[in-house]
Amino acid sequence: MHEISLCESTIEIIQKQVQQHGVKRVTGVWLEVGALSCVEESSLRFCFDVVCRGTVAEGSQLHIIHKPAQAWCWDCSSEVEITQHEAQCPKCQGFSLRVDSGDALQIKELEVE
């Protein structure tokens, strides 16, 4: 379960931002999760709640934004969306794909008081 380390890194980033901007409390966090990030949503939510305890983000609401992965198809020379590694091209059904994005997890927005 790598979700706990992802959440620990997330809360470290949040705490740095809070200190820089003099925020007292974080009430909402929007995380963008790539389709290929191998993150299980229920584990992410559980771990987020655990790592937020005793921090400025305790009790904050976690919003997850799912982002599809992008790949380049060498067979039909098209940029396509994929949902898993080793996928077929949705346009030509080829397997010559270069994955360009979709494995990231990013903080997109914080709601603060």
Side-chain angles (χ1 to χ4, degrees), residues 25-94:
R25 187 169 176 256
V26 175
T27 57
V29 177
W30 280 258
L31 290 180
E32 184 177 83
V33 179
L36 306 179
S37 64
C38 299
V39 170
E40 185 178 318
E41 184 173 335
S42 61
S43 295
L44 184 68
R45 290 187 182 282
F46 174 78
C47 293
F48 184 79
D49 286 342
V50 170
V51 300
C52 285
R53 290 181 190 154
T55 72
V56 293
E58 184 170 358
S60 63
Q61 186 169 7
L62 177 62
H63 304 272
I64 296 176
I65 304 163
H66 297 278
K67 183 177 181 182
Q70 298 290 318
W72 176 259
C73 178
W74 293 104
D75 294 333
C76 67
S77 298
S78 300
E79 185 171 289
V80 296
E81 283 187 11
I82 57 172
T83 57
Q84 61 186 13
H85 286 284
E86 300 178 23
Q88 277 185 293
C89 173
K91 290 186 177 179
C92 73
Q93 311 308 313

